[in-house]
Amino acid sequence: MVNLSLYSIDAVILLDASGNRVLAKYYGADKTTLKEQKAFEKGLFDKTRLSQGEIILYDNHVVLYRSNIDIYFYVVGSPEENELILLSMFNTFYDAVSSLLRYQVEKRTIMDNLDLVALCLDETVDRGIILDTDANAIVGRVSKPRLDMVDIPFTEQTLSQAYQTARERLTSQLLR
């Protein structure tokens, strides 16, 4: 009998070109200590850094991975998990991160925007459960709204924002 569960993701890991952790989230009780996690990440990186595949079976886990310039993305699932479900989540997360970073997916950009990448991961997976597989919806929830595009009510504006808004409205009224 197949064990059906919503908990399909065991970990999401981002490593740099040297195999050092950039971001990692482990779900479940499998790798609980930092020492176990680092050992798993080192072995995983050593196994995948020179290969050109997209999926491997490593340490009794299905691992999907992708390298981009100087960063490696990994999604880890149980061996019984459907690889297409893992791939759907992986592509969603990668596409959302890529869109948020304006298609400059490299270590420096990820480190500069680590808060957005972590939020993107949290919007995609929660405690191992895939929440969303629509990259555009995730980007919409995670991205910072531009202040010049949002009409903030006067009661919530700072003094300088209120002055700027009043100035712009007065200028537009006079130029009509």
Side-chain angles (χ1 to χ4, degrees):
M1 173 113 190
V2 176
N3 184 14
L4 298 175
S5 174
L6 291 175
Y7 299 96
S8 54
I9 307 295
D10 291 341
V12 177
I13 306 166
L14 275 69
L15 302 177
D16 66 6
S18 304
N20 299 318
R21 180 188 289 191
V22 174
L23 175 68
K25 284 241 181 167
Y26 287 83
Y27 309 102
D30 191 24
K31 309 267 187 272
T32 56
T33 66
L34 184 61
K35 186 177 180 182
E36 289 174 334
Q37 293 174 1
K38 292 283 189 175
F40 180 77
E41 291 166 13
K42 182 184 181 326
L44 186 61
F45 179 74
D46 290 341
K47 179 123 178 159
T48 60
R49 69 183 165 137
L50 298 176
S51 63
Q52 295 297 321
E54 293 180 347
I55 185 169
I56 61 169
L57 185 62
Y58 176 74
D59 194 26
N60 201 27
H61 293 282
V62 174
V63 180
L64 279 75
Y65 64 97
R66 179 182 299 169
S67 64
N68 192 19
I69 302 175
D70 59 352
I71 195 93
Y72 290 80
F73 286 77
Y74 297 95
V75 172
V76 182
S78 70
E80 296 86 26
E81 191 57 55
N82 186 336
E83 294 86 2
L84 294 175
I85 292 174
L86 294 176
L87 181 64
S88 175
M89 177 268 153
F90 184 57
N91 286 336
T92 299
F93 175 64
Y94 184 83
D95 291 345
V97 168
S98 180
S99 180
L100 281 170
L101 301 179
R102 293 183 179 90
Y103 305 101
Q104 296 177 357
V105 183
E106 54 190 32
K107 182 183 176 185
R108 180 182 170 101
T109 314
I110 288 177
M111 293 301 286
D112 290 344
N113 297 289
L114 195 58
D115 57 339
L116 291 177
V117 176
L119 276 173
C120 185
L121 179 57
D122 289 342
E123 288 290 329
T124 309
V125 179
D126 184 30
R127 291 181 283 158
I129 300 171
I130 299 171
L131 298 176
D132 201 346
T133 56
D134 182 9
N136 293 328
I138 293 168
V139 169
R141 287 193 302 268
V142 170
S143 63
K144 300 174 188 173
R146 292 181 42 190
L147 291 178
D148 59 346
M149 299 301 289
V150 178
D151 195 20
I152 303 172
F154 271 115
T155 57
E156 296 178 16
Q157 291 183 356
T158 64
L159 187 59
S160 62
Q161 289 175 326
Y163 172 73
Q164 184 67 27
T165 304
R167 183 176 165 197
E168 288 172 3
R169 288 184 181 171
L170 182 64
T171 306
S172 66
Q173 289 293 328
L174 291 175
L175 293 178
R176 280 191 188 176

mmCIF file of all heavy atoms in Angstrom, residues 9 11-12 14 53-55 63-68 73-76 82-100 103 105 120-121 124-125 130 132-139:
data_model
loop_
_atom_site.group_PDB
_atom_site.id
_atom_site.type_symbol
_atom_site.label_atom_id
_atom_site.label_comp_id
_atom_site.label_asym_id
_atom_site.label_seq_id
_atom_site.Cartn_x
_atom_site.Cartn_y
_atom_site.Cartn_z
ATOM 1 N N ILE A 9 8.168 17.255 0.723
ATOM 2 C CA ILE A 9 9.496 17.850 0.623
ATOM 3 C C ILE A 9 10.247 17.609 1.927
ATOM 4 O O ILE A 9 9.747 17.919 3.009
ATOM 5 C CB ILE A 9 9.411 19.375 0.354
ATOM 6 C CG1 ILE A 9 8.532 19.670 -0.855
ATOM 7 C CG2 ILE A 9 10.791 19.981 0.200
ATOM 8 C CD1 ILE A 9 9.050 19.148 -2.161
ATOM 9 N N ALA A 11 13.692 18.656 2.156
ATOM 10 C CA ALA A 11 14.608 19.790 2.312
ATOM 11 C C ALA A 11 14.676 20.573 1.010
ATOM 12 O O ALA A 11 14.444 20.036 -0.075
ATOM 13 C CB ALA A 11 16.005 19.304 2.682
ATOM 14 N N VAL A 12 14.994 21.852 1.153
ATOM 15 C CA VAL A 12 15.330 22.716 0.020
ATOM 16 C C VAL A 12 16.654 23.365 0.394
ATOM 17 O O VAL A 12 16.774 23.970 1.461
ATOM 18 C CB VAL A 12 14.254 23.786 -0.243
ATOM 19 C CG1 VAL A 12 14.678 24.702 -1.382
ATOM 20 C CG2 VAL A 12 12.919 23.137 -0.558
ATOM 21 N N LEU A 14 20.232 25.563 -0.976
ATOM 22 C CA LEU A 14 20.975 26.359 -1.942
ATOM 23 C C LEU A 14 22.424 26.385 -1.484
ATOM 24 O O LEU A 14 22.714 26.778 -0.351
ATOM 25 C CB LEU A 14 20.455 27.797 -2.024
ATOM 26 C CG LEU A 14 19.266 28.072 -2.942
ATOM 27 C CD1 LEU A 14 18.010 27.441 -2.408
ATOM 28 C CD2 LEU A 14 19.077 29.546 -3.121
ATOM 29 N N GLY A 53 23.174 15.896 -14.752
ATOM 30 C CA GLY A 53 21.807 15.402 -14.622
ATOM 31 C C GLY A 53 20.914 16.388 -13.892
ATOM 32 O O GLY A 53 21.326 17.486 -13.526
ATOM 33 N N GLU A 54 19.699 15.973 -13.662
ATOM 34 C CA GLU A 54 18.745 16.800 -12.939
ATOM 35 C C GLU A 54 18.170 16.092 -11.730
ATOM 36 O O GLU A 54 17.569 16.726 -10.878
ATOM 37 C CB GLU A 54 17.587 17.207 -13.855
ATOM 38 C CG GLU A 54 17.997 18.124 -14.960
ATOM 39 C CD GLU A 54 16.819 18.510 -15.839
ATOM 40 O OE1 GLU A 54 15.750 17.873 -15.727
ATOM 41 O OE2 GLU A 54 16.975 19.447 -16.623
ATOM 42 N N ILE A 55 18.371 14.762 -11.663
ATOM 43 C CA ILE A 55 17.774 13.989 -10.579
ATOM 44 C C ILE A 55 18.708 12.844 -10.219
ATOM 45 O O ILE A 55 19.313 12.224 -11.089
ATOM 46 C CB ILE A 55 16.370 13.469 -10.976
ATOM 47 C CG1 ILE A 55 15.691 12.773 -9.815
ATOM 48 C CG2 ILE A 55 16.450 12.588 -12.194
ATOM 49 C CD1 ILE A 55 14.233 12.481 -10.050
ATOM 50 N N VAL A 63 16.653 13.448 -5.097
ATOM 51 C CA VAL A 63 17.166 14.813 -5.107
ATOM 52 C C VAL A 63 17.095 15.371 -6.518
ATOM 53 O O VAL A 63 17.651 14.788 -7.452
ATOM 54 C CB VAL A 63 18.632 14.872 -4.602
ATOM 55 C CG1 VAL A 63 19.139 16.297 -4.623
ATOM 56 C CG2 VAL A 63 18.749 14.275 -3.219
ATOM 57 N N LEU A 64 16.396 16.492 -6.670
ATOM 58 C CA LEU A 64 16.387 17.228 -7.922
ATOM 59 C C LEU A 64 17.319 18.407 -7.745
ATOM 60 O O LEU A 64 17.319 19.039 -6.686
ATOM 61 C CB LEU A 64 14.988 17.733 -8.252
ATOM 62 C CG LEU A 64 14.032 16.726 -8.882
ATOM 63 C CD1 LEU A 64 13.527 15.755 -7.857
ATOM 64 C CD2 LEU A 64 12.903 17.440 -9.538
ATOM 65 N N TYR A 65 18.098 18.715 -8.772
ATOM 66 C CA TYR A 65 19.056 19.807 -8.627
ATOM 67 C C TYR A 65 19.257 20.535 -9.942
ATOM 68 O O TYR A 65 18.971 20.016 -11.018
ATOM 69 C CB TYR A 65 20.387 19.306 -8.077
ATOM 70 C CG TYR A 65 21.118 18.340 -8.973
ATOM 71 C CD1 TYR A 65 22.135 18.774 -9.816
ATOM 72 C CD2 TYR A 65 20.798 16.989 -8.984
ATOM 73 C CE1 TYR A 65 22.805 17.890 -10.639
ATOM 74 C CE2 TYR A 65 21.460 16.104 -9.796
ATOM 75 C CZ TYR A 65 22.467 16.555 -10.613
ATOM 76 O OH TYR A 65 23.125 15.679 -11.439
ATOM 77 N N ARG A 66 19.755 21.748 -9.809
ATOM 78 C CA ARG A 66 20.048 22.587 -10.963
ATOM 79 C C ARG A 66 21.162 23.541 -10.558
ATOM 80 O O ARG A 66 21.130 24.117 -9.473
ATOM 81 C CB ARG A 66 18.804 23.373 -11.361
ATOM 82 C CG ARG A 66 19.008 24.299 -12.542
ATOM 83 C CD ARG A 66 17.760 25.090 -12.858
ATOM 84 N NE ARG A 66 16.663 24.185 -13.218
ATOM 85 C CZ ARG A 66 15.416 24.561 -13.344
ATOM 86 N NH1 ARG A 66 15.073 25.820 -13.149
ATOM 87 N NH2 ARG A 66 14.479 23.709 -13.672
ATOM 88 N N SER A 67 22.129 23.700 -11.433
ATOM 89 C CA SER A 67 23.185 24.673 -11.155
ATOM 90 C C SER A 67 23.010 25.859 -12.095
ATOM 91 O O SER A 67 22.575 25.713 -13.228
ATOM 92 C CB SER A 67 24.564 24.055 -11.350
ATOM 93 O OG SER A 67 24.761 23.693 -12.694
ATOM 94 N N ASN A 68 23.319 27.021 -11.569
ATOM 95 C CA ASN A 68 23.192 28.243 -12.352
ATOM 96 C C ASN A 68 24.340 29.165 -11.957
ATOM 97 O O ASN A 68 24.372 29.659 -10.840
ATOM 98 C CB ASN A 68 21.842 28.906 -12.088
ATOM 99 C CG ASN A 68 21.542 30.003 -13.063
ATOM 100 O OD1 ASN A 68 22.134 30.071 -14.128
ATOM 101 N ND2 ASN A 68 20.635 30.876 -12.697
ATOM 102 N N PHE A 73 20.831 24.705 -6.711
ATOM 103 C CA PHE A 73 19.521 24.548 -6.092
ATOM 104 C C PHE A 73 19.253 23.050 -5.942
ATOM 105 O O PHE A 73 19.426 22.298 -6.892
ATOM 106 C CB PHE A 73 18.419 25.133 -6.977
ATOM 107 C CG PHE A 73 18.367 26.627 -7.007
ATOM 108 C CD1 PHE A 73 19.265 27.357 -7.758
ATOM 109 C CD2 PHE A 73 17.399 27.308 -6.292
ATOM 110 C CE1 PHE A 73 19.204 28.735 -7.799
ATOM 111 C CE2 PHE A 73 17.331 28.688 -6.321
ATOM 112 C CZ PHE A 73 18.243 29.402 -7.073
ATOM 113 N N TYR A 74 18.793 22.638 -4.763
ATOM 114 C CA TYR A 74 18.443 21.234 -4.507
ATOM 115 C C TYR A 74 17.072 21.166 -3.864
ATOM 116 O O TYR A 74 16.757 21.956 -2.964
ATOM 117 C CB TYR A 74 19.436 20.590 -3.535
ATOM 118 C CG TYR A 74 20.857 20.510 -4.030
ATOM 119 C CD1 TYR A 74 21.775 21.493 -3.695
ATOM 120 C CD2 TYR A 74 21.281 19.440 -4.810
ATOM 121 C CE1 TYR A 74 23.087 21.416 -4.131
ATOM 122 C CE2 TYR A 74 22.594 19.368 -5.249
ATOM 123 C CZ TYR A 74 23.489 20.357 -4.906
ATOM 124 O OH TYR A 74 24.780 20.286 -5.346
ATOM 125 N N VAL A 75 16.279 20.202 -4.299
ATOM 126 C CA VAL A 75 15.023 19.861 -3.635
ATOM 127 C C VAL A 75 15.107 18.380 -3.302
ATOM 128 O O VAL A 75 15.377 17.551 -4.173
ATOM 129 C CB VAL A 75 13.794 20.146 -4.529
ATOM 130 C CG1 VAL A 75 12.532 19.603 -3.897
ATOM 131 C CG2 VAL A 75 13.660 21.632 -4.770
ATOM 132 N N VAL A 76 14.904 18.053 -2.032
ATOM 133 C CA VAL A 76 15.077 16.694 -1.529
ATOM 134 C C VAL A 76 13.721 16.154 -1.106
ATOM 135 O O VAL A 76 12.969 16.833 -0.399
ATOM 136 C CB VAL A 76 16.053 16.678 -0.327
ATOM 137 C CG1 VAL A 76 16.274 15.266 0.173
ATOM 138 C CG2 VAL A 76 17.372 17.343 -0.694
ATOM 139 N N ASN A 82 6.604 11.164 -5.711
ATOM 140 C CA ASN A 82 6.487 11.314 -7.155
ATOM 141 C C ASN A 82 7.452 12.405 -7.624
ATOM 142 O O ASN A 82 7.378 13.548 -7.169
ATOM 143 C CB ASN A 82 5.037 11.668 -7.504
ATOM 144 C CG ASN A 82 4.785 11.708 -8.983
ATOM 145 O OD1 ASN A 82 5.691 11.911 -9.782
ATOM 146 N ND2 ASN A 82 3.533 11.521 -9.353
ATOM 147 N N GLU A 83 8.317 12.058 -8.553
ATOM 148 C CA GLU A 83 9.328 13.003 -9.029
ATOM 149 C C GLU A 83 8.716 14.183 -9.776
ATOM 150 O O GLU A 83 9.258 15.279 -9.765
ATOM 151 C CB GLU A 83 10.342 12.300 -9.945
ATOM 152 C CG GLU A 83 11.198 11.268 -9.263
ATOM 153 C CD GLU A 83 10.557 9.892 -9.204
ATOM 154 O OE1 GLU A 83 9.435 9.726 -9.737
ATOM 155 O OE2 GLU A 83 11.151 8.994 -8.599
ATOM 156 N N LEU A 84 7.576 13.963 -10.401
ATOM 157 C CA LEU A 84 6.925 15.058 -11.125
ATOM 158 C C LEU A 84 6.368 16.114 -10.177
ATOM 159 O O LEU A 84 6.379 17.305 -10.492
ATOM 160 C CB LEU A 84 5.812 14.512 -12.028
ATOM 161 C CG LEU A 84 6.290 13.634 -13.182
ATOM 162 C CD1 LEU A 84 5.098 13.063 -13.934
ATOM 163 C CD2 LEU A 84 7.206 14.389 -14.095
ATOM 164 N N ILE A 85 5.901 15.688 -9.016
ATOM 165 C CA ILE A 85 5.442 16.653 -8.017
ATOM 166 C C ILE A 85 6.626 17.455 -7.495
ATOM 167 O O ILE A 85 6.551 18.681 -7.349
ATOM 168 C CB ILE A 85 4.692 15.931 -6.873
ATOM 169 C CG1 ILE A 85 3.383 15.360 -7.405
ATOM 170 C CG2 ILE A 85 4.456 16.867 -5.692
ATOM 171 C CD1 ILE A 85 2.624 14.515 -6.422
ATOM 172 N N LEU A 86 7.732 16.775 -7.216
ATOM 173 C CA LEU A 86 8.941 17.473 -6.766
ATOM 174 C C LEU A 86 9.429 18.439 -7.838
ATOM 175 O O LEU A 86 9.829 19.569 -7.533
ATOM 176 C CB LEU A 86 10.040 16.468 -6.421
ATOM 177 C CG LEU A 86 9.790 15.543 -5.236
ATOM 178 C CD1 LEU A 86 10.928 14.541 -5.102
ATOM 179 C CD2 LEU A 86 9.595 16.319 -3.969
ATOM 180 N N LEU A 87 9.387 18.001 -9.095
ATOM 181 C CA LEU A 87 9.834 18.855 -10.197
ATOM 182 C C LEU A 87 8.936 20.080 -10.351
ATOM 183 O O LEU A 87 9.421 21.186 -10.601
ATOM 184 C CB LEU A 87 9.873 18.065 -11.503
ATOM 185 C CG LEU A 87 10.356 18.819 -12.739
ATOM 186 C CD1 LEU A 87 11.813 19.238 -12.561
ATOM 187 C CD2 LEU A 87 10.194 17.970 -13.978
ATOM 188 N N SER A 88 7.645 19.907 -10.169
ATOM 189 C CA SER A 88 6.718 21.036 -10.254
ATOM 190 C C SER A 88 7.028 22.071 -9.179
ATOM 191 O O SER A 88 7.089 23.271 -9.457
ATOM 192 C CB SER A 88 5.286 20.536 -10.119
ATOM 193 O OG SER A 88 4.398 21.604 -10.074
ATOM 194 N N MET A 89 7.250 21.618 -7.953
ATOM 195 C CA MET A 89 7.604 22.533 -6.869
ATOM 196 C C MET A 89 8.946 23.196 -7.138
ATOM 197 O O MET A 89 9.120 24.398 -6.936
ATOM 198 C CB MET A 89 7.642 21.760 -5.546
ATOM 199 C CG MET A 89 8.077 22.571 -4.345
ATOM 200 S SD MET A 89 9.845 22.413 -4.133
ATOM 201 C CE MET A 89 10.190 23.948 -3.331
ATOM 202 N N PHE A 90 9.909 22.417 -7.613
ATOM 203 C CA PHE A 90 11.251 22.919 -7.886
ATOM 204 C C PHE A 90 11.227 24.000 -8.970
ATOM 205 O O PHE A 90 11.816 25.069 -8.807
ATOM 206 C CB PHE A 90 12.146 21.755 -8.316
ATOM 207 C CG PHE A 90 13.580 22.120 -8.546
ATOM 208 C CD1 PHE A 90 14.336 22.704 -7.543
ATOM 209 C CD2 PHE A 90 14.178 21.858 -9.760
ATOM 210 C CE1 PHE A 90 15.655 23.027 -7.750
ATOM 211 C CE2 PHE A 90 15.500 22.177 -9.972
ATOM 212 C CZ PHE A 90 16.243 22.767 -8.970
ATOM 213 N N ASN A 91 10.517 23.736 -10.057
ATOM 214 C CA ASN A 91 10.410 24.722 -11.135
ATOM 215 C C ASN A 91 9.687 25.985 -10.680
ATOM 216 O O ASN A 91 10.065 27.094 -11.054
ATOM 217 C CB ASN A 91 9.706 24.118 -12.349
ATOM 218 C CG ASN A 91 10.582 23.152 -13.095
ATOM 219 O OD1 ASN A 91 11.805 23.217 -13.033
ATOM 220 N ND2 ASN A 91 9.965 22.226 -13.810
ATOM 221 N N THR A 92 8.663 25.824 -9.852
ATOM 222 C CA THR A 92 7.937 26.977 -9.326
ATOM 223 C C THR A 92 8.854 27.841 -8.480
ATOM 224 O O THR A 92 8.911 29.061 -8.660
ATOM 225 C CB THR A 92 6.733 26.521 -8.485
ATOM 226 O OG1 THR A 92 5.852 25.780 -9.317
ATOM 227 C CG2 THR A 92 6.008 27.702 -7.876
ATOM 228 N N PHE A 93 9.584 27.219 -7.566
ATOM 229 C CA PHE A 93 10.495 27.966 -6.691
ATOM 230 C C PHE A 93 11.591 28.646 -7.510
ATOM 231 O O PHE A 93 11.859 29.836 -7.332
ATOM 232 C CB PHE A 93 11.102 27.028 -5.641
ATOM 233 C CG PHE A 93 12.132 27.688 -4.774
ATOM 234 C CD1 PHE A 93 11.790 28.732 -3.935
ATOM 235 C CD2 PHE A 93 13.443 27.253 -4.783
ATOM 236 C CE1 PHE A 93 12.741 29.340 -3.130
ATOM 237 C CE2 PHE A 93 14.400 27.849 -3.992
ATOM 238 C CZ PHE A 93 14.048 28.893 -3.153
ATOM 239 N N TYR A 94 12.191 27.924 -8.437
ATOM 240 C CA TYR A 94 13.266 28.493 -9.248
ATOM 241 C C TYR A 94 12.752 29.650 -10.117
ATOM 242 O O TYR A 94 13.393 30.697 -10.205
ATOM 243 C CB TYR A 94 13.912 27.421 -10.128
ATOM 244 C CG TYR A 94 15.079 27.941 -10.917
ATOM 245 C CD1 TYR A 94 16.332 28.027 -10.341
ATOM 246 C CD2 TYR A 94 14.922 28.379 -12.233
ATOM 247 C CE1 TYR A 94 17.414 28.525 -11.053
ATOM 248 C CE2 TYR A 94 15.988 28.875 -12.939
ATOM 249 C CZ TYR A 94 17.233 28.939 -12.351
ATOM 250 O OH TYR A 94 18.291 29.446 -13.055
ATOM 251 N N ASP A 95 11.595 29.467 -10.743
ATOM 252 C CA ASP A 95 11.030 30.526 -11.590
ATOM 253 C C ASP A 95 10.658 31.763 -10.771
ATOM 254 O O ASP A 95 10.857 32.890 -11.219
ATOM 255 C CB ASP A 95 9.802 30.014 -12.340
ATOM 256 C CG ASP A 95 10.145 28.987 -13.401
ATOM 257 O OD1 ASP A 95 11.336 28.864 -13.756
ATOM 258 O OD2 ASP A 95 9.221 28.285 -13.866
ATOM 259 N N ALA A 96 10.119 31.562 -9.580
ATOM 260 C CA ALA A 96 9.761 32.695 -8.724
ATOM 261 C C ALA A 96 11.015 33.449 -8.285
ATOM 262 O O ALA A 96 11.055 34.686 -8.336
ATOM 263 C CB ALA A 96 8.974 32.222 -7.515
ATOM 264 N N VAL A 97 12.051 32.721 -7.879
ATOM 265 C CA VAL A 97 13.308 33.366 -7.480
ATOM 266 C C VAL A 97 13.923 34.094 -8.666
ATOM 267 O O VAL A 97 14.368 35.239 -8.557
ATOM 268 C CB VAL A 97 14.293 32.333 -6.892
ATOM 269 C CG1 VAL A 97 15.688 32.910 -6.756
ATOM 270 C CG2 VAL A 97 13.799 31.839 -5.551
ATOM 271 N N SER A 98 13.917 33.453 -9.813
ATOM 272 C CA SER A 98 14.472 34.063 -11.018
ATOM 273 C C SER A 98 13.736 35.341 -11.385
ATOM 274 O O SER A 98 14.354 36.359 -11.719
ATOM 275 C CB SER A 98 14.402 33.057 -12.170
ATOM 276 O OG SER A 98 14.922 33.592 -13.338
ATOM 277 N N SER A 99 12.434 35.319 -11.290
ATOM 278 C CA SER A 99 11.642 36.502 -11.602
ATOM 279 C C SER A 99 11.879 37.611 -10.584
ATOM 280 O O SER A 99 12.004 38.783 -10.950
ATOM 281 C CB SER A 99 10.166 36.125 -11.643
ATOM 282 O OG SER A 99 9.380 37.229 -11.939
ATOM 283 N N LEU A 100 11.939 37.257 -9.302
ATOM 284 C CA LEU A 100 12.181 38.257 -8.260
ATOM 285 C C LEU A 100 13.547 38.924 -8.410
ATOM 286 O O LEU A 100 13.699 40.110 -8.136
ATOM 287 C CB LEU A 100 12.090 37.614 -6.873
ATOM 288 C CG LEU A 100 10.708 37.373 -6.329
ATOM 289 C CD1 LEU A 100 10.769 36.512 -5.080
ATOM 290 C CD2 LEU A 100 10.010 38.679 -6.034
ATOM 291 N N TYR A 103 16.022 37.731 -13.255
ATOM 292 C CA TYR A 103 16.741 36.738 -14.049
ATOM 293 C C TYR A 103 18.259 36.816 -13.872
ATOM 294 O O TYR A 103 19.007 36.383 -14.732
ATOM 295 C CB TYR A 103 16.341 36.828 -15.525
ATOM 296 C CG TYR A 103 14.859 36.693 -15.683
ATOM 297 C CD1 TYR A 103 14.054 37.808 -15.875
ATOM 298 C CD2 TYR A 103 14.250 35.447 -15.569
ATOM 299 C CE1 TYR A 103 12.670 37.683 -15.979
ATOM 300 C CE2 TYR A 103 12.880 35.319 -15.667
ATOM 301 C CZ TYR A 103 12.099 36.434 -15.879
ATOM 302 O OH TYR A 103 10.737 36.310 -15.965
ATOM 303 N N VAL A 105 20.190 35.130 -11.464
ATOM 304 C CA VAL A 105 20.280 34.138 -10.406
ATOM 305 C C VAL A 105 21.745 33.752 -10.228
ATOM 306 O O VAL A 105 22.275 32.914 -10.950
ATOM 307 C CB VAL A 105 19.421 32.896 -10.728
ATOM 308 C CG1 VAL A 105 19.473 31.899 -9.589
ATOM 309 C CG2 VAL A 105 17.994 33.308 -11.007
ATOM 310 N N CYS A 120 10.105 33.624 -0.539
ATOM 311 C CA CYS A 120 9.645 32.852 -1.701
ATOM 312 C C CYS A 120 9.575 31.364 -1.351
ATOM 313 O O CYS A 120 8.604 30.688 -1.687
ATOM 314 C CB CYS A 120 10.597 33.110 -2.860
ATOM 315 S SG CYS A 120 10.101 32.361 -4.381
ATOM 316 N N LEU A 121 10.599 30.879 -0.651
ATOM 317 C CA LEU A 121 10.595 29.482 -0.223
ATOM 318 C C LEU A 121 9.467 29.216 0.763
ATOM 319 O O LEU A 121 8.769 28.200 0.668
ATOM 320 C CB LEU A 121 11.950 29.121 0.393
ATOM 321 C CG LEU A 121 12.097 27.696 0.911
ATOM 322 C CD1 LEU A 121 11.827 26.680 -0.187
ATOM 323 C CD2 LEU A 121 13.481 27.500 1.489
ATOM 324 N N THR A 124 6.251 28.870 -0.969
ATOM 325 C CA THR A 124 6.156 27.680 -1.812
ATOM 326 C C THR A 124 5.960 26.420 -0.985
ATOM 327 O O THR A 124 5.139 25.573 -1.320
ATOM 328 C CB THR A 124 7.422 27.537 -2.684
ATOM 329 O OG1 THR A 124 7.665 28.768 -3.360
ATOM 330 C CG2 THR A 124 7.270 26.442 -3.709
ATOM 331 N N VAL A 125 6.729 26.297 0.103
ATOM 332 C CA VAL A 125 6.697 25.089 0.937
ATOM 333 C C VAL A 125 6.584 25.502 2.402
ATOM 334 O O VAL A 125 7.284 26.417 2.843
ATOM 335 C CB VAL A 125 7.984 24.253 0.749
ATOM 336 C CG1 VAL A 125 7.956 23.030 1.636
ATOM 337 C CG2 VAL A 125 8.177 23.849 -0.686
ATOM 338 N N ILE A 130 3.735 21.297 -0.007
ATOM 339 C CA ILE A 130 3.763 22.235 -1.125
ATOM 340 C C ILE A 130 2.495 23.082 -1.053
ATOM 341 O O ILE A 130 1.380 22.557 -1.088
ATOM 342 C CB ILE A 130 3.847 21.495 -2.467
ATOM 343 C CG1 ILE A 130 5.125 20.668 -2.530
ATOM 344 C CG2 ILE A 130 3.788 22.481 -3.620
ATOM 345 C CD1 ILE A 130 5.211 19.740 -3.724
ATOM 346 N N ASP A 132 1.971 26.121 -3.067
ATOM 347 C CA ASP A 132 1.587 26.777 -4.313
ATOM 348 C C ASP A 132 2.536 26.351 -5.421
ATOM 349 O O ASP A 132 3.731 26.165 -5.183
ATOM 350 C CB ASP A 132 1.644 28.300 -4.134
ATOM 351 C CG ASP A 132 0.804 29.046 -5.150
ATOM 352 O OD1 ASP A 132 0.383 28.424 -6.153
ATOM 353 O OD2 ASP A 132 0.566 30.242 -4.947
ATOM 354 N N THR A 133 2.008 26.208 -6.615
ATOM 355 C CA THR A 133 2.841 25.877 -7.776
ATOM 356 C C THR A 133 2.677 26.904 -8.887
ATOM 357 O O THR A 133 2.927 26.603 -10.046
ATOM 358 C CB THR A 133 2.505 24.464 -8.313
ATOM 359 O OG1 THR A 133 1.114 24.414 -8.607
ATOM 360 C CG2 THR A 133 2.879 23.392 -7.318
ATOM 361 N N ASP A 134 2.268 28.105 -8.525
ATOM 362 C CA ASP A 134 2.144 29.199 -9.487
ATOM 363 C C ASP A 134 3.194 30.256 -9.145
ATOM 364 O O ASP A 134 3.050 30.983 -8.160
ATOM 365 C CB ASP A 134 0.742 29.790 -9.438
ATOM 366 C CG ASP A 134 0.533 30.897 -10.455
ATOM 367 O OD1 ASP A 134 1.413 31.094 -11.325
ATOM 368 O OD2 ASP A 134 -0.506 31.578 -10.383
ATOM 369 N N ALA A 135 4.237 30.328 -9.952
ATOM 370 C CA ALA A 135 5.348 31.237 -9.676
ATOM 371 C C ALA A 135 4.907 32.697 -9.674
ATOM 372 O O ALA A 135 5.367 33.492 -8.844
ATOM 373 C CB ALA A 135 6.465 31.024 -10.695
ATOM 374 N N ASN A 136 4.001 33.069 -10.567
ATOM 375 C CA ASN A 136 3.546 34.461 -10.628
ATOM 376 C C ASN A 136 2.781 34.867 -9.373
ATOM 377 O O ASN A 136 2.918 35.997 -8.890
ATOM 378 C CB ASN A 136 2.679 34.694 -11.865
ATOM 379 C CG ASN A 136 3.486 34.573 -13.134
ATOM 380 O OD1 ASN A 136 4.671 34.886 -13.160
ATOM 381 N ND2 ASN A 136 2.847 34.094 -14.189
ATOM 382 N N ALA A 137 1.983 33.964 -8.832
ATOM 383 C CA ALA A 137 1.252 34.257 -7.594
ATOM 384 C C ALA A 137 2.226 34.426 -6.434
ATOM 385 O O ALA A 137 2.051 35.319 -5.589
ATOM 386 C CB ALA A 137 0.255 33.146 -7.300
ATOM 387 N N ILE A 138 3.247 33.601 -6.394
ATOM 388 C CA ILE A 138 4.249 33.701 -5.330
ATOM 389 C C ILE A 138 5.012 35.012 -5.440
ATOM 390 O O ILE A 138 5.220 35.711 -4.448
ATOM 391 C CB ILE A 138 5.199 32.492 -5.374
ATOM 392 C CG1 ILE A 138 4.422 31.224 -5.002
ATOM 393 C CG2 ILE A 138 6.396 32.685 -4.451
ATOM 394 C CD1 ILE A 138 5.152 29.947 -5.273
ATOM 395 N N VAL A 139 5.405 35.372 -6.654
ATOM 396 C CA VAL A 139 6.111 36.641 -6.861
ATOM 397 C C VAL A 139 5.235 37.811 -6.439
ATOM 398 O O VAL A 139 5.703 38.762 -5.810
ATOM 399 C CB VAL A 139 6.554 36.786 -8.336
ATOM 400 C CG1 VAL A 139 7.040 38.187 -8.634
ATOM 401 C CG2 VAL A 139 7.645 35.777 -8.658
#
